[in-house]
Amino acid sequence: MAKITISEIARRAGVSKTAVSFAFNYPERLSEDTLRRILAVADEVGYAPDPVASNLKTRRTGCIGILVPQPIPIMTRNPYLLTFIEGVGEICHESGMSLMLVPPLKGNLRRAIVRAAVDGFLTLGLETFRGTMVVLQQRGVPFVMVDSDPTPEIPCVNIDDESGAYAAMKYALERGHRDIAIFGIRSGHHGDYRKYAGTLQRRITGYARALDEYGLSLDDPAIHLLECECDAAGGYEGLHTLWQSRRPPTAIVTMADVIAIGVMQAARELGLRIPDDLSLIGYDDIEGSRLTCPPLTTIHQPTVEKGRVAAQLLLQRIEERSLAAEHIVLPVELVERESFRSIDAAQ
């Protein structure tokens, strides 16, 4: 059977080829009667437009990609990503765009960039993948950086990471805690915080600033930095490891709520009561943080709004490449719940 073409659909429906094209690409331009007639004919003969051919003509895919530095199964262990996608998805829905997650392709992020059929990218936390930025620029599609160090001429959306970390650590210190563990996110630098970049660098700077105000530092024996995978298993394993030390902390400050949730699970197994035996504070304010037992004290970041803002910036750049690059920083705030208590600083 010969392949049905757009010309044949137009002949059978008694319309122009342009009208058929509008029916599949810009249906709002046709009357309801005309649209119904064209779609009925297409359905009758089993016609569907070729998306690849359409993309070649328009040079648009109608899709944006979220470029993530790890395989999707690993990234989705942190509910933060799903909340971010919610915000991006709202803008895509309003704009008639599709959304694609773009992880490394067989371990290679650069190959994934070249292969992804998208009109632009949102990049998540790629501060340690500078070579990736070169590939993005060479490909020539717009991109917006999220949770990364701002780069001239490239739009960027961050939260005030340093202020949030400062608020978390100061909150612990004000309540008398001096033996404090920081559960950081795995960096690849094995705890050498001086080599941190992007989000991790800003957060560790905030912690250090608060410690300095109390005559402490990240190198003080009472302050322990432990890197974890950014998931519940990371926090779980971290507490089991830490609790074997000679000087267990009275408080743990984590760089992510999902890590704190893993700490809670391990604490129950170790017979530790939160906050009576161990105070705990998170970062992100994911939906589950208010549902933990006890509810988690944390730093709220507007993750859905961050997704919306980043997606809006990207769509603007797709439509107008010459727009000036905006660097946007969204505010954070401390949320007090029941996982943290004051102690006598002298104990």
Side-chain angles (χ1 to χ4, degrees), residues 185-197 200-201 204 218-219 225-227:
I185 297 170
R186 188 82 70 197
S187 69
H189 297 300
H190 309 291
D192 187 352
Y193 62 86
R194 295 169 184 84
K195 295 181 180 178
Y196 284 179
L200 300 191
Q201 188 275 328
I204 207 72
L218 292 166
D219 299 315
L225 172 61
L226 179 70
E227 291 189 357

PDB file of all heavy atoms in Angstrom, residues 185-197 200-201 204 218-219 225-227:
ATOM      1  N   ILE A 185      27.053  16.511  50.507  1.00  0.00           N
ATOM      2  CA  ILE A 185      26.724  15.732  49.317  1.00  0.00           C
ATOM      3  C   ILE A 185      28.028  15.280  48.660  1.00  0.00           C
ATOM      4  O   ILE A 185      28.976  16.054  48.546  1.00  0.00           O
ATOM      5  CB  ILE A 185      25.880  16.575  48.345  1.00  0.00           C
ATOM      6  CG1 ILE A 185      24.534  16.936  49.008  1.00  0.00           C
ATOM      7  CG2 ILE A 185      25.643  15.847  47.025  1.00  0.00           C
ATOM      8  CD1 ILE A 185      23.722  17.953  48.245  1.00  0.00           C
ATOM      9  N   ARG A 186      28.047  14.023  48.225  1.00  0.00           N
ATOM     10  CA  ARG A 186      29.248  13.462  47.606  1.00  0.00           C
ATOM     11  C   ARG A 186      29.787  14.386  46.513  1.00  0.00           C
ATOM     12  O   ARG A 186      29.059  14.792  45.616  1.00  0.00           O
ATOM     13  CB  ARG A 186      28.927  12.100  47.019  1.00  0.00           C
ATOM     14  CG  ARG A 186      30.119  11.330  46.517  1.00  0.00           C
ATOM     15  CD  ARG A 186      30.837  10.611  47.642  1.00  0.00           C
ATOM     16  NE  ARG A 186      30.036   9.505  48.166  1.00  0.00           N
ATOM     17  CZ  ARG A 186      30.256   8.929  49.339  1.00  0.00           C
ATOM     18  NH1 ARG A 186      31.231   9.369  50.108  1.00  0.00           N
ATOM     19  NH2 ARG A 186      29.506   7.929  49.746  1.00  0.00           N
ATOM     20  N   SER A 187      31.071  14.742  46.611  1.00  0.00           N
ATOM     21  CA  SER A 187      31.645  15.737  45.702  1.00  0.00           C
ATOM     22  C   SER A 187      32.683  15.175  44.743  1.00  0.00           C
ATOM     23  O   SER A 187      32.989  15.801  43.724  1.00  0.00           O
ATOM     24  CB  SER A 187      32.308  16.853  46.519  1.00  0.00           C
ATOM     25  OG  SER A 187      33.475  16.355  47.167  1.00  0.00           O
ATOM     26  N   GLY A 188      33.253  14.040  45.086  1.00  0.00           N
ATOM     27  CA  GLY A 188      34.376  13.547  44.309  1.00  0.00           C
ATOM     28  C   GLY A 188      35.711  14.038  44.846  1.00  0.00           C
ATOM     29  O   GLY A 188      36.777  13.647  44.358  1.00  0.00           O
ATOM     30  N   HIS A 189      35.653  14.920  45.868  1.00  0.00           N
ATOM     31  CA  HIS A 189      36.889  15.464  46.451  1.00  0.00           C
ATOM     32  C   HIS A 189      37.182  14.863  47.828  1.00  0.00           C
ATOM     33  O   HIS A 189      38.054  15.356  48.550  1.00  0.00           O
ATOM     34  CB  HIS A 189      36.793  16.985  46.559  1.00  0.00           C
ATOM     35  CG  HIS A 189      36.667  17.667  45.235  1.00  0.00           C
ATOM     36  ND1 HIS A 189      37.612  17.562  44.246  1.00  0.00           N
ATOM     37  CD2 HIS A 189      35.678  18.455  44.723  1.00  0.00           C
ATOM     38  CE1 HIS A 189      37.230  18.260  43.185  1.00  0.00           C
ATOM     39  NE2 HIS A 189      36.067  18.798  43.448  1.00  0.00           N
ATOM     40  N   HIS A 190      36.422  13.837  48.218  1.00  0.00           N
ATOM     41  CA  HIS A 190      36.682  13.077  49.453  1.00  0.00           C
ATOM     42  C   HIS A 190      36.757  13.984  50.682  1.00  0.00           C
ATOM     43  O   HIS A 190      37.627  13.819  51.540  1.00  0.00           O
ATOM     44  CB  HIS A 190      37.973  12.268  49.309  1.00  0.00           C
ATOM     45  CG  HIS A 190      38.026  11.434  48.070  1.00  0.00           C
ATOM     46  ND1 HIS A 190      37.218  10.325  47.891  1.00  0.00           N
ATOM     47  CD2 HIS A 190      38.754  11.573  46.927  1.00  0.00           C
ATOM     48  CE1 HIS A 190      37.463   9.795  46.700  1.00  0.00           C
ATOM     49  NE2 HIS A 190      38.382  10.532  46.093  1.00  0.00           N
ATOM     50  N   GLY A 191      35.834  14.931  50.751  1.00  0.00           N
ATOM     51  CA  GLY A 191      35.752  15.782  51.930  1.00  0.00           C
ATOM     52  C   GLY A 191      36.674  16.974  51.932  1.00  0.00           C
ATOM     53  O   GLY A 191      36.684  17.737  52.904  1.00  0.00           O
ATOM     54  N   ASP A 192      37.455  17.167  50.878  1.00  0.00           N
ATOM     55  CA  ASP A 192      38.323  18.343  50.798  1.00  0.00           C
ATOM     56  C   ASP A 192      37.478  19.536  50.347  1.00  0.00           C
ATOM     57  O   ASP A 192      37.380  19.837  49.157  1.00  0.00           O
ATOM     58  CB  ASP A 192      39.473  18.096  49.815  1.00  0.00           C
ATOM     59  CG  ASP A 192      40.498  19.239  49.829  1.00  0.00           C
ATOM     60  OD1 ASP A 192      40.237  20.271  50.482  1.00  0.00           O
ATOM     61  OD2 ASP A 192      41.543  19.098  49.162  1.00  0.00           O
ATOM     62  N   TYR A 193      36.876  20.200  51.334  1.00  0.00           N
ATOM     63  CA  TYR A 193      35.904  21.257  51.033  1.00  0.00           C
ATOM     64  C   TYR A 193      36.537  22.454  50.315  1.00  0.00           C
ATOM     65  O   TYR A 193      35.834  23.255  49.709  1.00  0.00           O
ATOM     66  CB  TYR A 193      35.201  21.711  52.314  1.00  0.00           C
ATOM     67  CG  TYR A 193      36.112  22.317  53.350  1.00  0.00           C
ATOM     68  CD1 TYR A 193      36.432  23.676  53.322  1.00  0.00           C
ATOM     69  CD2 TYR A 193      36.639  21.548  54.373  1.00  0.00           C
ATOM     70  CE1 TYR A 193      37.268  24.235  54.270  1.00  0.00           C
ATOM     71  CE2 TYR A 193      37.481  22.099  55.326  1.00  0.00           C
ATOM     72  CZ  TYR A 193      37.793  23.439  55.277  1.00  0.00           C
ATOM     73  OH  TYR A 193      38.621  23.995  56.216  1.00  0.00           O
ATOM     74  N   ARG A 194      37.829  22.578  50.379  1.00  0.00           N
ATOM     75  CA  ARG A 194      38.497  23.697  49.695  1.00  0.00           C
ATOM     76  C   ARG A 194      38.414  23.570  48.174  1.00  0.00           C
ATOM     77  O   ARG A 194      38.637  24.550  47.454  1.00  0.00           O
ATOM     78  CB  ARG A 194      39.961  23.785  50.144  1.00  0.00           C
ATOM     79  CG  ARG A 194      40.123  24.140  51.625  1.00  0.00           C
ATOM     80  CD  ARG A 194      41.555  23.960  52.096  1.00  0.00           C
ATOM     81  NE  ARG A 194      41.679  24.214  53.530  1.00  0.00           N
ATOM     82  CZ  ARG A 194      41.431  23.287  54.463  1.00  0.00           C
ATOM     83  NH1 ARG A 194      41.065  22.069  54.106  1.00  0.00           N
ATOM     84  NH2 ARG A 194      41.567  23.584  55.748  1.00  0.00           N
ATOM     85  N   LYS A 195      38.087  22.380  47.695  1.00  0.00           N
ATOM     86  CA  LYS A 195      37.965  22.162  46.256  1.00  0.00           C
ATOM     87  C   LYS A 195      36.511  22.196  45.776  1.00  0.00           C
ATOM     88  O   LYS A 195      36.240  21.978  44.605  1.00  0.00           O
ATOM     89  CB  LYS A 195      38.590  20.813  45.876  1.00  0.00           C
ATOM     90  CG  LYS A 195      40.091  20.749  46.102  1.00  0.00           C
ATOM     91  CD  LYS A 195      40.644  19.391  45.684  1.00  0.00           C
ATOM     92  CE  LYS A 195      42.144  19.321  45.909  1.00  0.00           C
ATOM     93  NZ  LYS A 195      42.684  17.975  45.550  1.00  0.00           N
ATOM     94  N   TYR A 196      35.588  22.457  46.686  1.00  0.00           N
ATOM     95  CA  TYR A 196      34.180  22.476  46.307  1.00  0.00           C
ATOM     96  C   TYR A 196      33.898  23.600  45.306  1.00  0.00           C
ATOM     97  O   TYR A 196      34.592  24.626  45.286  1.00  0.00           O
ATOM     98  CB  TYR A 196      33.281  22.678  47.530  1.00  0.00           C
ATOM     99  CG  TYR A 196      33.111  21.465  48.421  1.00  0.00           C
ATOM    100  CD1 TYR A 196      32.346  21.530  49.576  1.00  0.00           C
ATOM    101  CD2 TYR A 196      33.706  20.247  48.108  1.00  0.00           C
ATOM    102  CE1 TYR A 196      32.182  20.432  50.404  1.00  0.00           C
ATOM    103  CE2 TYR A 196      33.550  19.139  48.924  1.00  0.00           C
ATOM    104  CZ  TYR A 196      32.782  19.236  50.077  1.00  0.00           C
ATOM    105  OH  TYR A 196      32.610  18.140  50.894  1.00  0.00           O
ATOM    106  N   ALA A 197      32.858  23.412  44.507  1.00  0.00           N
ATOM    107  CA  ALA A 197      32.412  24.436  43.562  1.00  0.00           C
ATOM    108  C   ALA A 197      30.890  24.492  43.587  1.00  0.00           C
ATOM    109  O   ALA A 197      30.231  23.615  44.147  1.00  0.00           O
ATOM    110  CB  ALA A 197      32.905  24.108  42.145  1.00  0.00           C
ATOM    111  N   LEU A 200      27.751  23.244  46.439  1.00  0.00           N
ATOM    112  CA  LEU A 200      28.472  22.748  47.611  1.00  0.00           C
ATOM    113  C   LEU A 200      29.398  23.811  48.181  1.00  0.00           C
ATOM    114  O   LEU A 200      29.504  23.970  49.401  1.00  0.00           O
ATOM    115  CB  LEU A 200      29.279  21.499  47.253  1.00  0.00           C
ATOM    116  CG  LEU A 200      28.503  20.290  46.734  1.00  0.00           C
ATOM    117  CD1 LEU A 200      29.411  19.068  46.681  1.00  0.00           C
ATOM    118  CD2 LEU A 200      27.285  19.998  47.600  1.00  0.00           C
ATOM    119  N   GLN A 201      30.049  24.551  47.309  1.00  0.00           N
ATOM    120  CA  GLN A 201      30.963  25.598  47.775  1.00  0.00           C
ATOM    121  C   GLN A 201      30.195  26.692  48.514  1.00  0.00           C
ATOM    122  O   GLN A 201      30.626  27.161  49.575  1.00  0.00           O
ATOM    123  CB  GLN A 201      31.724  26.180  46.581  1.00  0.00           C
ATOM    124  CG  GLN A 201      32.847  27.138  46.949  1.00  0.00           C
ATOM    125  CD  GLN A 201      32.385  28.572  47.153  1.00  0.00           C
ATOM    126  OE1 GLN A 201      31.426  29.002  46.495  1.00  0.00           O
ATOM    127  NE2 GLN A 201      33.047  29.288  48.038  1.00  0.00           N
ATOM    128  N   ILE A 204      28.991  25.221  51.981  1.00  0.00           N
ATOM    129  CA  ILE A 204      30.055  25.043  52.971  1.00  0.00           C
ATOM    130  C   ILE A 204      30.571  26.401  53.442  1.00  0.00           C
ATOM    131  O   ILE A 204      30.966  26.563  54.601  1.00  0.00           O
ATOM    132  CB  ILE A 204      31.202  24.168  52.401  1.00  0.00           C
ATOM    133  CG1 ILE A 204      31.928  23.456  53.543  1.00  0.00           C
ATOM    134  CG2 ILE A 204      32.169  24.967  51.557  1.00  0.00           C
ATOM    135  CD1 ILE A 204      31.147  22.352  54.186  1.00  0.00           C
ATOM    136  N   LEU A 218      35.650  24.676  60.261  1.00  0.00           N
ATOM    137  CA  LEU A 218      35.409  23.357  59.678  1.00  0.00           C
ATOM    138  C   LEU A 218      36.512  22.368  60.037  1.00  0.00           C
ATOM    139  O   LEU A 218      36.313  21.160  59.928  1.00  0.00           O
ATOM    140  CB  LEU A 218      35.289  23.472  58.156  1.00  0.00           C
ATOM    141  CG  LEU A 218      34.046  24.224  57.647  1.00  0.00           C
ATOM    142  CD1 LEU A 218      34.206  24.578  56.182  1.00  0.00           C
ATOM    143  CD2 LEU A 218      32.793  23.381  57.864  1.00  0.00           C
ATOM    144  N   ASP A 219      37.672  22.877  60.463  1.00  0.00           N
ATOM    145  CA  ASP A 219      38.794  22.008  60.826  1.00  0.00           C
ATOM    146  C   ASP A 219      38.866  21.720  62.324  1.00  0.00           C
ATOM    147  O   ASP A 219      39.775  21.020  62.780  1.00  0.00           O
ATOM    148  CB  ASP A 219      40.115  22.646  60.366  1.00  0.00           C
ATOM    149  CG  ASP A 219      40.159  22.827  58.853  1.00  0.00           C
ATOM    150  OD1 ASP A 219      39.786  21.880  58.131  1.00  0.00           O
ATOM    151  OD2 ASP A 219      40.554  23.917  58.393  1.00  0.00           O
ATOM    152  N   LEU A 225      32.908  16.814  59.013  1.00  0.00           N
ATOM    153  CA  LEU A 225      32.300  16.841  57.678  1.00  0.00           C
ATOM    154  C   LEU A 225      32.340  15.446  57.087  1.00  0.00           C
ATOM    155  O   LEU A 225      33.411  14.854  56.933  1.00  0.00           O
ATOM    156  CB  LEU A 225      33.036  17.818  56.758  1.00  0.00           C
ATOM    157  CG  LEU A 225      32.624  17.807  55.277  1.00  0.00           C
ATOM    158  CD1 LEU A 225      31.156  18.185  55.117  1.00  0.00           C
ATOM    159  CD2 LEU A 225      33.515  18.749  54.462  1.00  0.00           C
ATOM    160  N   LEU A 226      31.176  14.912  56.765  1.00  0.00           N
ATOM    161  CA  LEU A 226      31.068  13.584  56.182  1.00  0.00           C
ATOM    162  C   LEU A 226      30.279  13.680  54.883  1.00  0.00           C
ATOM    163  O   LEU A 226      29.146  14.171  54.875  1.00  0.00           O
ATOM    164  CB  LEU A 226      30.366  12.630  57.153  1.00  0.00           C
ATOM    165  CG  LEU A 226      30.157  11.191  56.670  1.00  0.00           C
ATOM    166  CD1 LEU A 226      31.490  10.463  56.594  1.00  0.00           C
ATOM    167  CD2 LEU A 226      29.193  10.449  57.598  1.00  0.00           C
ATOM    168  N   GLU A 227      30.863  13.258  53.779  1.00  0.00           N
ATOM    169  CA  GLU A 227      30.159  13.289  52.490  1.00  0.00           C
ATOM    170  C   GLU A 227      29.298  12.039  52.327  1.00  0.00           C
ATOM    171  O   GLU A 227      29.722  10.932  52.673  1.00  0.00           O
ATOM    172  CB  GLU A 227      31.146  13.392  51.331  1.00  0.00           C
ATOM    173  CG  GLU A 227      31.853  14.726  51.260  1.00  0.00           C
ATOM    174  CD  GLU A 227      32.655  14.888  49.979  1.00  0.00           C
ATOM    175  OE1 GLU A 227      32.709  13.928  49.173  1.00  0.00           O
ATOM    176  OE2 GLU A 227      33.234  15.975  49.781  1.00  0.00           O
TER     177      GLU A 227
END
